[in-house]
């Protein structure tokens, strides 16, 4: 897992190089075809990448995006009206049966289908209209890291290709920013000792950082066996805040940008409740108001932040698992390809 | 909270009587107008009701449904292409600022807008094209119960009115089924003693029962301060299963229907892991394979189950809070109307 975390800057750069031309063409084709709705279909970490894609695509293109409920197709056999839709399956292995079934149904219903996968020769690639590939080699750890950020990168490229106007981000900068995040490894190795006996926690992020809250919580559940909740800061105020008592651990993604003032409000409220807060942030006010912080370069704004910000989270999960005497590469009860319908 | 739980059968019956005519007309109007996409906008328990609505509407009508990410509108200022969309805001008070902002933006973008609320004179009612009301009086407990099931009932009625064919359910039966669930109160009063020291748990449901997993988890977080995760059984296998160790508490919604065989598989896996399972079920095989069960009438199939099945969950949360010496009506750190953007 640590090795695959470290491979990310190179893998991301290669994905940009290899897929740039294909995605630019696909964007032109889809703009000509006219797309009213984009549906994303995924499970696990891929579903978290899709959650990021949802925000990025809606903000960048104005096209409404829906995260599919696979069972509507696979268990209830509903036939959705998807004639003008783009349906994108996201699966590291390309072998998720439920994802592939939704893609088949959607194509039969007239949708244009795209697969986002790490495996060019997968079942998914065989059944979609177009395949977008992550480049950076097979992922061997059960806990996904480089495929999560690879999927995010493909969503940056796709969103840019579907936008009417120049987007608010330049994704070419991301591999270098990812490399800078890796420099945090020694600091995080020390930091995790403090969390060895943490049994549960909440991870908070909002907007473009929301998916990272889901992804870090999933990493903590699967590699560290911590009961980790995930919320947007807005949803957190609608009920779950009541759980927070003195020393309750809350991990917050707080990149500079439009979301920051809301995150600062949350940090003040958590401080009043004497929560134990860990922020991943480039904002010095947030860093100064929390119990512990991982401080990233201030110039990484929230549009470029999702990938550089999840890397300290991945390192935190992998190093905490090791500090607890667990093997993050093969969590108990799990296998790399999960078969569900 | 207990009083409002008990009011539900009468409140549901009244909502059917009062709103039936209006919703039938609305359905005809919308079928004539042509709706390509339905977007649901909500927070907290209302968002859980919307999650139920999403499954029910897609299965019943074939129209794709998206659960809105309000910050896309309120923080990032995106202008979504919603000309052929129906956008439904769901808010008990009708005063959620972010929900109302999304409704305003959507209406300006050409969408037809509907408000689902408990307050006829709310800000929401003033700005939408049509308001659907729950009938059953103001909700005084901070923890929503009768408004959650009232919102679900309005989704049943709306889905039926938008369907091309006769739907797979007769919602008129639900108030009586809800009354039968209330008969479980003495059994649940005894049951909760066993859970007084439970610090965390996972709640599982899938498909039409998925929203109830979110809602019961939220009730446990806000009234009992239990760190309660919520998953579909499919997502649970993608990572979070690793958390489960001997005696880890898992609460499962298992109504008879298309989802049941998958739930039985999950129960077998949890049994191998020696988890401590509590099922709310009408299936005797599931009831026989779990640590504890709340057994509901076998004839309640999954299409009618969501309301009668959440009631034992509501009772469980309210009675567990009391057994822990907490006041479920006014959880610490929360207020009835939550203001977020």
């Amino acid at each position: 897992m640590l090795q695959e975390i470290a491979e990310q800057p190179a893998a991301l750069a290669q994905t940009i190089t290899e897929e740039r031309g294909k995605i630019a063409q696909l964007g032109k084709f889809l703009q000509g075809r006219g797309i009213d709705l984009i549906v994303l279909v995924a499970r696990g970490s891929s579903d978290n990448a899709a959650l990021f894609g949802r925000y990025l695509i809606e903000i960048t293109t104005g096209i409404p995006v829906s995260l599919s409920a696979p069972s509507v197709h696979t268990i209830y056999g509903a036939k959705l009206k998807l004639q003008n839709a783009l349906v994108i399956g996201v699966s590291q292995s390309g072998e998720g049966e439920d994802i592939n079934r939704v893609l088949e149904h959607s194509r039969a219903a007239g949708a244009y289908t795209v697969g986002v996968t790490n495996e060019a020769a997968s079942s998914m690639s065989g059944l979609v209209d177009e395949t977008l590939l992550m480049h950076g080699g097979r992922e061997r750890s059960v806990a996904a890291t480089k495929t999560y950020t690879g999927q995010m990168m493909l969503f940056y490229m796709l969103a840019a290709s579907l936008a009417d106007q120049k987007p608010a981000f330049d994704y070419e900068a991301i591999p270098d920013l990812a490399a800078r995040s890796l420099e945090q490894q020694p600091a995080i190795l020390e930091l995790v000792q403090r969390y060895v006996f943490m049994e549960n926690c909440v991870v908070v992020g909002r907007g473009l950082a929301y998916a990272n809250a889901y992804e870090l919580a999933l990493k903590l559940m699967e590699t560290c066996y911590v009961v980790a909740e995930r919320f947007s800061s807005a949803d957190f105020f609608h009920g779950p805040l009541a759980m927070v008592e003195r020393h309750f651990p809350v991990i917050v993604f707080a990149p500079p940008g439009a979301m920051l003032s809301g995150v600062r409000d949350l940090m003040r409220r958590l401080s009043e409740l004497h929560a134990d807060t860990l922020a991943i942030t480039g904002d010095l006010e947030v860093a100064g108001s929390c119990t512990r912080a991982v401080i990233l370069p201030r110039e990484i704004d929230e549009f470029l932040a999702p990938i550089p910000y999840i890397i300290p989270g991945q390192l935190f999960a992998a190093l905490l698992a090791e500090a607890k005497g667990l093997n993050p590469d093969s969590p108990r009860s799990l296998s790399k390809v999960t078969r569900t319908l």
Side-chain angles (χ1 to χ4, degrees), chain A:
Chain A
M1 185 173 172
L2 280 169
Q3 188 188 323
E4 289 173 344
I5 292 170
E7 288 167 13
Q8 291 177 104
L12 292 165
Q14 204 181 338
T15 296
I16 295 175
T17 308
E18 302 269 350
E19 299 294 301
R20 190 193 278 119
K22 188 204 296 175
I23 293 177
Q25 270 195 313
L26 177 65
K28 269 188 209 138
F29 166 75
L30 291 171
Q31 286 196 318
R33 185 180 160 115
I35 295 292
D36 288 349
L37 171 67
I38 297 177
V39 180
L40 309 179
V41 199
R43 290 272 181 213
S45 282
S46 303
D47 204 27
N48 298 339
L51 182 58
F52 163 72
R54 185 259 167 91
Y55 280 84
L56 188 74
I57 294 171
E58 285 197 337
I59 294 167
T60 310
T61 72
I63 303 170
V65 179
S66 170
L67 295 168
S68 172
S71 67
V72 167
H73 303 255
T74 60
I75 310 281
Y76 296 108
K79 296 200 187 315
L80 294 197
K81 297 165 185 171
L82 295 169
Q83 292 84 342
N84 302 316
L86 164 65
V87 179
I88 306 177
V90 190
S91 168
Q92 175 272 132
S93 67
E95 301 301 337
E97 276 176 60
D98 47 358
I99 311 303
N100 289 342
R101 191 82 72 84
V102 176
L103 289 166
E104 277 171 351
H105 278 217
S106 303
R107 201 162 181 227
Y112 188 86
T113 55
V114 168
V116 170
T117 177
N118 206 28
E119 302 293 338
S122 61
S123 305
M124 180 187 270
S125 302
L127 63 86
V128 291
D129 294 300
E130 182 65 273
T131 302
L132 307 181
L133 289 171
M134 294 161 263
H135 296 265
R138 182 155 294 175
E139 192 168 60
R140 292 170 310 279
S141 175
V142 169
T145 54
K146 67 179 177 180
T147 55
Y148 173 69
T149 53
Q151 291 158 351
M152 292 169 101
M153 179 54 79
L154 290 170
F155 279 120
Y156 275 109
M157 298 171 76
L158 191 64
S161 82
L162 290 171
D164 299 328
Q165 296 162 350
K166 199 170 148 42
F169 52 83
D170 172 16
Y171 58 76
E172 307 264 355
I174 292 175
D176 283 346
L177 299 175
R180 292 185 64 184
S181 287
L182 289 172
E183 297 167 8
Q184 297 288 332
Q185 185 162 342
I188 293 171
L189 183 61
E190 276 186 48
L191 180 70
V192 295
Q193 291 301 326
R194 188 170 182 275
Y195 297 87
V196 162
F197 297 104
M198 177 172 75
E199 294 192 349
N200 47 48
C201 71
V202 164
V203 190
V204 178
R206 206 180 160 200
L208 291 162
Y210 186 36
N212 278 353
Y214 271 69
E215 179 61 8
L216 176 52
L218 180 56
K219 292 294 95 114
L220 290 170
M221 288 188 269
E222 61 185 356
T223 65
C224 304
Y225 314 150
V226 170
V227 181
E229 298 267 5
R230 61 284 183 221
F231 295 104
S232 88
S233 45
D235 290 322
F236 194 44
F237 278 113
H238 283 259
L241 188 70
M243 287 187 302
V244 175
E245 56 198 342
R246 189 172 282 271
H247 295 309
F248 189 92
V250 182
I251 306 177
V252 181
F253 287 97
M259 281 299 169
L260 191 62
S261 77
V263 173
R264 284 178 177 162
D265 290 345
L266 174 67
M267 299 306 289
R268 273 188 286 275
R269 190 78 187 90
L270 290 173
S271 175
E272 288 164 15
L273 296 170
H274 305 283
D276 192 297
T277 48
L278 167 62
I280 301 175
T281 188
D283 179 67
L284 295 181
E285 183 184 320
V286 167
S289 71
C290 58
T291 316
R292 290 288 184 281
V294 174
I295 300 175
L296 294 177
R298 195 189 312 211
E299 62 270 25
I300 306 179
D301 84 341
E302 64 176 334
F303 276 90
L304 295 180
I307 291 175
Y309 271 61
I310 195 58
I311 289 175
Q314 295 168 336
L315 290 168
F316 185 87
L319 295 169
L320 178 59
E322 286 193 353
K324 293 175 78 161
L326 304 170
N327 178 1
D329 291 333
S330 53
R332 65 186 179 198
S333 318
L334 300 184
S335 59
K336 184 68 180 162
V337 180
T338 310
R339 301 196 183 280
T340 52
L341 263 193

